[in-house]
Amino acid sequence: MNTSFIKTNLIVKTIALLLFCNNVQSQTIFSKTLKTLEGKNYNLNDLKKNKGNVFIIISPDCPLCQNYALTLNEQQKLFAPKKIKYIGVVSGKIYTVQEINHYKKLFNVQFELLIDENYEIKKNLGASVTPEVFLINNLGKTIYSGRIDDWAYDVGKHKPKATEHNLKDAVNAYVAGKPITIKKTNAVGCILE
């Protein structure tokens, strides 16, 4: 059999598999419905209209989620005019709506907070700690995941000031139509239960 035919066939099958996988993730993330803090259904399909969405996996009692609230608020404000929406996701049924609202009020959280009672978003995105962020394009593909920046470099350890702004850099590159140079980092934080 011709080796160039085999190589071409393998390339075509690989491309088809990649397109299928991207389509499955797109259908999966945008097919979910979460709960608002008011108890209403929030259909993630509505997020397709944005250029992109940043999902932030949050635990209200995690010190890093508390410390990063201001940074995330600033980024939400900066990127909202560029059609990037920041969404905080609280997984499971560990926290009451009152506890989540207390976190929102105490740390002046400006982005939307949603409840993922059945861990669907956690599973879909592969989240393992809080805070962990995922930049998703309008097709539902994860184009950056990991830490917000390098301020916290290990559990309980942080620098005086961040020197790498991974999430912000990824969003800036995406909205400018440039390649994201660092697509994945290791998030540091509280273990997601």
Side-chain angles (χ1 to χ4, degrees):
M1 193 176 261
N2 185 338
T3 56
S4 65
F5 172 76
I6 293 171
K7 287 179 184 176
T8 304
N9 193 22
L10 184 58
I11 291 170
V12 169
K13 286 181 179 179
T14 302
I15 291 170
L17 180 62
L18 289 171
L19 290 172
F20 173 76
C21 289
N22 283 343
N23 191 36
V24 168
Q25 184 186 22
S26 172
Q27 291 173 356
T28 304
I29 195 78
F30 288 134
S31 66
K32 304 296 179 200
T33 299
L34 303 182
K35 292 283 184 190
T36 66
L37 297 182
E38 295 77 31
K40 296 179 181 173
N41 287 335
Y42 189 101
N43 187 341
L44 296 185
N45 191 52
D46 295 342
L47 299 175
K48 284 183 181 179
K49 68 180 185 263
N50 301 324
K51 180 171 180 66
N53 299 282
V54 175
F55 286 84
I56 309 130
I57 310 303
I58 290 177
S59 298
D61 62 352
C62 176
L64 285 176
C65 291
Q66 297 166 358
N67 287 324
Y68 273 113
L70 178 61
T71 300
L72 293 166
N73 283 342
E74 289 170 352
Q75 288 187 25
Q76 164 66 36
K77 187 175 179 180
L78 175 67
F79 293 118
K82 298 175 182 178
K83 297 196 175 224
I84 302 292
K85 183 173 176 85
Y86 280 52
I87 305 115
V89 177
V90 179
S91 296
K93 298 178 182 177
I94 298 168
Y95 303 100
T96 65
V97 171
Q98 292 78 15
E99 289 170 320
I100 299 168
N101 271 318
H102 178 73
Y103 162 77
K104 183 175 182 170
K105 184 177 180 182
L106 186 62
F107 297 99
N108 194 29
V109 173
Q110 300 296 309
F111 47 90
E112 185 127 33
L113 292 176
L114 300 174
I115 303 169
D116 178 20
E117 292 179 338
N118 299 314
Y119 296 94
E120 293 179 88
I121 301 304
K122 173 202 178 292
K123 291 174 192 170
N124 184 265
L125 297 175
S128 59
V129 299
T130 64
E132 189 168 1
V133 296
F134 299 84
L135 173 58
I136 312 288
N137 68 15
N138 60 350
L139 300 175
K141 181 180 177 192
T142 300
I143 55 177
Y144 170 77
S145 65
R147 67 187 184 190
I148 298 162
D149 59 33
D150 70 343
W151 174 72
Y153 61 91
D154 203 350
V155 177
K157 297 179 182 178
H158 59 83
K159 301 176 176 184
K161 185 176 169 183
T163 55
E164 295 177 20
H165 305 277
N166 306 101
L167 175 61
K168 187 176 182 181
D169 291 347
V171 176
N172 269 323
Y174 177 59
V175 298
K178 296 179 180 175
I180 297 171
T181 54
I182 299 174
K183 296 181 180 185
K184 182 156 182 55
T185 57
N186 291 325
V188 174
C190 303
I191 300 297
L192 186 56
E193 298 178 36

